[in-house]
Amino acid sequence: MINFTNSYLSVNFTNLNSQDRVNLKNIRTTDLPSDKTQAVDKILGYGVDKEGFFTSDFNEAAKIPKDYRINANFIKALNETLTTAELTTEALYDYINWAKEFGNFYKENLQTLDKFGENFDREQIEKKINVSLKDNFTKSDVLLSLFININTIKFKEGKSTLFGKTYGFDSAINEKEMKEFYAFMQKNQIKDPNKIEKSSFKNILSDEWMGVDRERSKLQTYVSYAINFHLDHSIVNKAKDFKDEFDKLLRKNLNLEEFKAQYLDFKKRHDEFLKDFEMAMGNHLLIKPIEKNNF
């Protein structure tokens, strides 16, 4: 299982199972990828053999030895998780070059321990990398298992979306920059509609910033309240416009500094709208005391 987690977003991904694994005790010719001429399909631009493994062109592009067979469907599923809205509200990456990503990972973690045509020394691998290997493991199992268990959320050979950047999915953004961004958003977050002046919930809900998805949720609540409490059509339409504008902003090709500048302009205008919204809401969010004669 891959579990990408930070303070504001958690993405769980499970794909490898017993049917996906190649359970052979020693490296033999059957552990070698099929030649690219034997491909029956293509996934992410690379050939796939009839058993669902990448053909030799993937290894060539990744610059990893030919005694590794990489499960193509595993990589396809992981790619879809990260580059579509399958498990998150927006894609985290525009694209990831998986061959280069695996090649870099192999070079940094396994190359010095690897001998072509020979399986890894189990004791050496487990001691050096602090993992526990199952019986009858193959070299491909080791590569994939390590990639799953010790890889970070920041893929160096990929281009993160703005949405991904705001959650720390960008190798070019360091921890200090992310902390500064989170502090900026904490200070300038959109006011929760449940915390308007005439609301019985204003002192109950937390003020902690919980990510851009939470900001989007607040904007959707403005829309819902405007509709459900039958506010003026101008309020309803403005609430919808702000929600749509924020969605479009998150899909722009911006760095965090560019986003912050445009977001401040957005928030300034939304704060002005908030004055009209609060006036229109009146006492709708005030809980009325229960009268005794109702019992």
Side-chain angles (χ1 to χ4, degrees):
M1 180 173 70
I2 293 181
N3 182 18
F4 300 126
T5 305
N6 62 25
S7 300
Y8 309 106
L9 183 73
S10 178
V11 181
N12 295 312
F13 177 85
T14 305
N15 194 64
L16 278 183
N17 55 48
S18 59
Q19 294 179 339
D20 292 326
R21 295 181 179 276
V22 184
N23 290 315
L24 299 173
K25 189 172 183 180
N26 300 306
I27 299 297
R28 302 188 295 266
T29 55
T30 51
D31 294 315
L32 302 177
S34 303
D35 186 81
K36 55 190 173 185
T37 60
Q38 299 178 33
V40 297
D41 195 4
K42 270 197 171 187
I43 289 179
L44 300 174
Y46 301 101
V48 179
D49 65 20
K50 61 183 180 181
E51 295 180 54
F53 293 90
F54 281 122
T55 50
S56 60
D57 53 331
F58 182 87
N59 296 55
E60 292 168 5
K63 297 181 180 179
I64 60 176
K66 291 185 177 180
D67 52 350
Y68 286 85
R69 297 178 78 201
I70 306 299
N71 187 310
N73 288 319
F74 170 85
I75 305 302
K76 178 183 178 181
L78 181 54
N79 187 72
E80 289 178 352
T81 297
L82 296 171
T83 61
T84 70
E86 182 181 275
L87 293 182
T88 53
T89 56
E90 296 286 341
L92 298 168
Y93 287 90
D94 286 324
Y95 67 84
I96 299 170
N97 187 322
W98 290 105
K100 285 187 176 181
E101 197 69 48
F102 266 85
N104 291 342
F105 185 83
Y106 168 80
K107 185 176 181 180
E108 294 170 5
N109 296 280
L110 289 176
Q111 189 173 48
T112 59
L113 305 174
D114 192 14
K115 292 182 180 179
F116 182 76
E118 297 181 18
N119 207 344
F120 288 110
D121 180 284
R122 180 172 187 163
E123 183 178 348
Q124 183 185 33
I125 286 285
E126 291 185 334
K127 182 178 180 180
K128 184 175 179 63
I129 309 181
N130 193 29
V131 295
S132 180
L133 299 173
K134 294 183 178 181
D135 294 335
N136 300 327
F137 68 92
T138 70
K139 295 177 76 171
S140 302
D141 289 331
V142 174
L143 177 59
L144 285 176
S145 294
L146 291 181
F147 188 82
I148 293 168
N149 289 313
I150 70 175
N151 200 30
T152 69
I153 63 174
K154 298 183 178 184
F155 292 96
K156 297 176 182 178
E157 299 297 337
K159 181 179 182 296
S160 61
T161 61
L162 174 58
F163 180 80
K165 288 183 177 74
T166 68
Y167 284 110
F169 286 76
D170 192 304
S171 60
I173 303 174
N174 61 39
E175 184 177 353
K176 179 177 179 291
E177 290 171 319
M178 286 310 305
K179 286 182 177 180
E180 290 173 351
F181 175 73
Y182 293 152
F184 168 85
M185 293 303 296
Q186 173 69 47
K187 180 180 178 181
N188 295 289
Q189 61 182 299
I190 296 166
K191 187 171 184 177
D192 191 315
N194 290 298
K195 294 176 77 65
I196 61 176
E197 188 59 32
K198 291 184 178 181
S199 171
S200 297
F201 313 105
K202 64 181 180 180
N203 296 320
I204 299 174
L205 300 173
S206 171
D207 287 322
E208 183 180 358
W209 185 72
M210 296 299 292
V212 293
D213 265 337
R214 177 71 182 111
E215 301 304 282
R216 175 188 275 159
S217 176
K218 293 176 187 176
L219 292 168
Q220 181 57 54
T221 303
Y222 277 103
V223 176
S224 299
Y225 282 176
I227 294 173
N228 294 335
F229 289 116
H230 308 290
L231 304 188
D232 189 83
H233 286 301
S234 64
I235 300 292
V236 174
N237 291 335
K238 284 182 181 179
K240 289 180 177 179
D241 288 343
F242 276 114
K243 170 64 168 55
D244 292 342
E245 182 182 348
F246 190 73
D247 286 344
K248 291 176 182 177
L249 175 58
L250 286 180
R251 293 174 187 140
K252 287 185 176 182
N253 183 20
L254 303 173
N255 60 39
L256 291 185
E257 290 303 312
E258 292 168 333
F259 168 76
K260 284 159 65 175
Q262 294 192 30
Y263 173 79
L264 281 179
D265 173 71
F266 172 87
K267 183 177 183 298
K268 181 179 179 181
R269 289 182 285 110
H270 190 269
D271 286 346
E272 289 299 314
F273 159 75
L274 182 56
K275 297 175 184 177
D276 294 333
F277 177 84
E278 289 207 40
M279 184 176 296
M281 281 292 289
N283 298 329
H284 285 306
L285 293 182
L286 289 176
I287 298 175
K288 298 177 182 179
I290 299 174
E291 297 181 7
K292 293 182 179 180
N293 57 11
N294 286 340
F295 293 92

